[in-house]
Amino acid sequence: MSLRDEPGRVERLTPHLVLGAYAVGVFPMADTRETDHVYWVEPRKRAVLPLDGFHLSRSLRKTVAKDRFRVTADTAFESIIRLCAESVPDRPETWINYAIERVFIDLFDMGFAHSIECWDGDELVGGLYGLALGRAFFGESMVSRRTDASKVALVWLVARLRAGGYSLLDCQFQTAHLSTMGAIEIGREDYVALLSDALAGVVAPGASAAGVSAPGDFAALDRFGAAPGSEAGTVSGPVSGQDIVQLLAQTS
């Protein structure tokens, strides 16, 4: 059965299977944290956040510019996915079961999955994670244990994707939270067109170099304003919140 034919249930996820699913616009979800079953989902309406249409409110701009949180990338991936999967009073169940958690940790080890982390001192208080493929980034889940922590993580993600040459930020489902930041809903046909452009010549092995787009560079922001020879790994070292605000303003 093609992943795009109809919703299906699988017992075991592999990185190859998951990458193939995202390449055709399908992603896995589970009913609860504890279930063994995973379903393939393909929304009729897809939420995307146009990178050139990102809305940074005045209050959030101030929060980012003041470096209210220390922000890092790919330094606590396993902690972020587990924080996203935690049960909280207003969300007693989660769609991230252990099979999804395990395969995304494998994808992180392979360089496909990424996280943005927000810290208050040494405490991890929010962030997000997702999958990067070609020039597309598929946002999976956001979490906040302090006011605006997930919003700040999204601001840094957008700046990172712009700096890295990405063209698609897939948010999967529309929410009021995402809508205020510029996310829109589009139909499947329009989504597939955006996805095809973002993956053009990147996913297929052995594709001709003619007309092939370079994949996005998730680490490009780490080199933004960094001195020669400085270590990458954090996005709050050489790059400050004020730098992020200016970068987003310049590319809007």
Side-chain angles (χ1 to χ4, degrees):
M1 180 185 75
S2 167
L3 289 173
R4 281 165 36 177
D5 288 341
E6 59 180 315
R9 190 173 76 186
V10 297
E11 303 301 324
R12 181 172 180 271
L13 293 177
T14 66
H16 179 77
L17 180 63
V18 172
L19 290 174
Y22 278 88
V24 296
V26 185
F27 55 87
M29 295 185 73
D31 287 332
T32 68
R33 176 70 165 161
E34 302 298 330
T35 185
D36 293 330
H37 306 307
V38 174
Y39 294 86
W40 296 114
V41 181
E42 185 181 31
R44 292 185 178 180
K45 292 289 187 179
R46 198 76 163 232
V48 299
L49 204 166
L51 294 174
D52 59 357
F54 180 67
H55 175 64
L56 183 59
S57 69
R58 182 175 299 179
S59 60
L60 186 55
R61 184 183 298 114
K62 290 180 179 179
T63 299
V64 173
K66 290 179 179 179
D67 289 314
R68 168 65 182 84
F69 302 105
R70 179 172 60 91
V71 184
T72 58
D74 290 347
T75 64
F77 183 87
E78 293 188 27
S79 296
I80 279 291
I81 194 170
R82 286 166 187 161
L83 196 65
C84 287
E86 279 185 1
S87 174
V88 291
D90 62 346
R91 192 199 62 199
E93 292 294 349
T94 175
W95 57 267
I96 306 170
N97 71 354
Y98 292 101
I100 291 174
E101 178 184 321
R102 284 192 298 270
V103 77
F104 266 88
I105 291 173
D106 289 342
L107 287 163
F108 172 74
D109 291 338
M110 295 167 65
F112 289 103
H114 299 282
S115 60
I116 303 290
E117 306 95 13
C118 289
W119 307 82
D120 187 353
D122 293 328
E123 183 181 1
L124 182 63
V125 295
L128 57 83
Y129 79 95
L131 180 75
L133 191 61
R135 293 183 295 118
F137 188 89
F138 307 90
E140 287 298 299
S141 187
M142 303 169 64
V143 63
S144 190
R145 295 292 184 265
R146 295 285 190 280
T147 300
D148 288 339
S150 62
K151 291 182 180 179
V152 169
L154 183 58
V155 172
W156 282 85
L157 175 66
V158 170
R160 181 170 285 272
L161 298 182
R162 286 186 178 181
Y166 288 81
S167 62
L168 173 62
L169 173 50
D170 178 1
C171 302
Q172 298 181 345
F173 299 107
Q174 180 71 298
T175 66
H177 168 84
L178 290 171
S179 178
T180 63
M181 303 182 83
I184 60 174
E185 275 191 325
I186 60 175
R188 184 182 182 280
E189 185 175 342
D190 290 333
Y191 174 76
V192 169
L194 291 175
L195 180 62
S196 297
D197 178 70
L199 302 184
V202 174
V203 177
S208 169
V212 172
S213 301
D217 181 0
F218 197 78
L221 188 66
D222 298 327
R223 301 186 293 274
F224 180 78
S230 61
E231 293 185 4
T234 71
V235 293
S236 58
V239 182
S240 68
Q242 185 62 49
D243 292 327
I244 293 300
V245 170
Q246 293 176 355
L247 176 63
L248 292 179
Q250 291 169 2
T251 54
S252 295

